[in-house]
Amino acid sequence: MTNPAIKHYLQFNDLNADEYRHLFARAALIKKKFKAYEKHHPLVDRTLAMIFEKASTRTRVSFEAGMYQLGGSVVHLTTGDSQLGRAEPIEDSAKVISRMVDLVMIRTYEQTKIERFATHSRVPVINGLTNEFHPCQILADLFTYLEHRGTDTLGQPDPARLAGKVVAWVGDGNNMANTWLQAAELLGFTVHLSTPSGYEVDPAVAGLRSSGSYKIFKDPRDACAGADLVTTDVWTSMGYEAENEARMRAFANWCVNADMMRAAKPEALFMHCLPAHRGEEVSAEVIDGPQSVVWDEAENRMHVQKALMEYLLLGRVA
Ligand code: CP
Ligand code: NVA
């Protein structure tokens, strides 16, 4: 049994709407201080272990830079350079690593693996991407949306402004899609899903409580109609490379292009978690165009994760 006194972030619905309100406010403050070169060192002498079983650029840099900026330090492990790649049981690794550090971030394959690690960990565990979920990315994406389209009268990101919004998901029913769906259920917006046949979201895998927060569209352009945000992801996620050729054929009509963006609201934003493949899941015109906020999304990974690490270790600081 996972120790209920330890707060993990293994999927988006591990936190509630009120906790997200707190995190968005803290992320805004932490970002402001970062931009002003003001020190923010709540995690002095704390250590984050980062375990990567899959490749990464943004997750590695954002967690590592973020932890140093909070006054802490990091240990970086990969499958290849640790005993994880030599079949040491995940439970044993969790027991050992969590005796030496204060926080663990893991990027791995099956969600069950990170759950097993968390069950045996003495410290909070953060999901840095699994086959099923990518909660830190959606945390950054929602913060980015609110910065652009959902601030209150004081200029603060206000998650209440997400209510009633429409997010169009064009592409694979993957870890990003699952996490968008959990966020929609929790924060009161709707996801318009369009995936090729055979690549649909499985609501049970996504851990949804109802079917009330999403609608399914055969044609991706119909999914984009009237959307506030259009988003997509690679056609072949890490771990699915053997399916690449079949996926290239199946996804050919699921490239977010200018025509799809025209179907969305005029003020709609475009997002992509990156890395992107121009000419596959998105046209260069869209990702490099005026509605795209992909660079803000990437930068905001660091600011929201700093707020998340602070919260998991220290709770609600003022
Ligand atoms: N978006 C994201 O998680 O990027 P990396 O794979 O580079 O970490
Ligand atoms: N769905 C992609 C996201 C990469 C950040 C993958 O899992 O590879």
Side-chain angles (χ1 to χ4, degrees):
M1 257 299 275
T2 309
N3 180 346
I6 304 171
K7 215 175 222 326
H8 300 293
Y9 192 54
L10 306 184
Q11 44 186 296
F12 194 85
N13 62 20
D14 281 341
L15 299 180
N16 62 36
D18 192 49
E19 289 173 304
Y20 280 110
R21 171 175 290 282
H22 170 77
L23 283 188
F24 292 137
R26 287 303 291 174
L29 178 78
I30 287 169
K31 181 171 182 175
K32 200 169 150 206
K33 289 175 91 172
F34 172 80
K35 298 285 177 190
Y37 295 95
E38 240 182 84
K39 275 200 179 75
H40 183 69
H41 282 174
L43 300 186
V44 172
D45 290 339
R46 306 289 183 114
T47 307
L48 165 73
M50 305 191 295
I51 302 173
F52 285 97
E53 299 208 288
K54 291 176 177 172
S56 168
T57 296
R58 280 144 287 270
T59 304
R60 163 99 194 252
V61 177
S62 56
F63 270 105
E64 187 157 341
M67 190 56 175
Y68 283 125
Q69 289 162 22
L70 292 171
S73 54
V74 298
V75 176
H76 177 251
L77 292 168
T78 65
T79 315
D81 64 15
S82 68
Q83 301 290 4
L84 287 161
R86 298 180 64 254
E88 180 165 17
I90 195 83
E91 292 78 5
D92 293 1
S93 303
K95 285 177 193 166
V96 172
I97 294 168
S98 70
R99 280 181 180 232
M100 301 183 201
V101 304
D102 303 279
L103 192 58
V104 179
M105 187 287 303
I106 307 181
R107 166 167 287 196
T108 188
Y109 292 87
E110 298 81 17
Q111 183 72 12
T112 50
K113 207 166 174 186
I114 198 171
E115 282 165 3
R116 279 162 57 209
F117 191 104
T119 302
H120 296 275
S121 173
R122 288 183 168 192
V123 301
V125 177
I126 298 172
N127 182 345
L129 182 146
T130 56
N131 291 348
E132 290 85 353
F133 297 113
H134 197 2
C136 293
Q137 183 68 52
I138 301 303
L139 183 61
D141 293 359
L142 291 170
F143 182 74
T144 306
Y145 182 81
L146 293 174
E147 275 190 326
H148 284 271
R149 296 284 183 266
T151 49
D152 63 18
T153 46
L154 300 171
Q156 290 299 307
D158 179 5
R161 311 262 169 134
L162 291 167
K165 293 285 188 288
V166 171
V167 173
W169 176 266
V170 175
D172 193 15
N174 64 10
N175 44 10
M176 284 289 298
N178 289 340
T179 315
W180 271 113
L181 289 170
Q182 281 199 356
E185 204 162 60
L186 200 71
L187 299 172
F189 59 92
T190 303
V191 180
H192 284 185
L193 279 171
S194 181
T195 60
S197 157
Y199 298 95
E200 294 88 356
V201 165
D202 179 340
V205 172
L208 302 183
R209 296 185 195 105
S210 77
S211 56
S213 56
Y214 66 92
K215 290 184 189 151
I216 293 172
F217 295 82
K218 221 174 145 61
D219 183 336
R221 199 177 178 282
D222 293 341
C224 295
D228 298 278
L229 168 64
V230 177
T231 185
T232 186
D233 187 10
V234 291
W235 289 344
T236 305
S237 285
M238 292 180 280
Y240 297 83
E241 289 80 3
E243 300 173 12
N244 194 42
E245 260 182 53
R247 284 173 173 266
M248 294 287 272
R249 284 191 297 275
F251 283 79
N253 294 330
W254 275 263
C255 172
V256 176
N257 56 26
D259 186 43
M260 289 189 202
M261 289 307 295
R262 270 193 296 274
K265 285 194 180 141
E267 71 273 22
L269 298 176
F270 171 77
M271 288 193 189
H272 189 311
C273 64
L274 306 176
H277 302 81
R278 289 167 177 77
E280 291 184 17
E281 73 274 8
V282 60
S283 69
E285 187 185 10
V286 169
I287 195 169
D288 299 319
Q291 287 165 285
S292 172
V293 291
V294 297
W295 314 120
D296 292 342
E297 265 182 280
E299 177 189 328
N300 283 334
R301 285 290 300 277
M302 186 174 80
H303 306 305
V304 298
Q305 288 162 194
K306 284 168 76 177
L308 177 67
M309 291 192 283
E310 181 189 70
Y311 180 62
L312 294 179
L313 287 178
L314 305 179
R316 279 179 200 247
V317 286

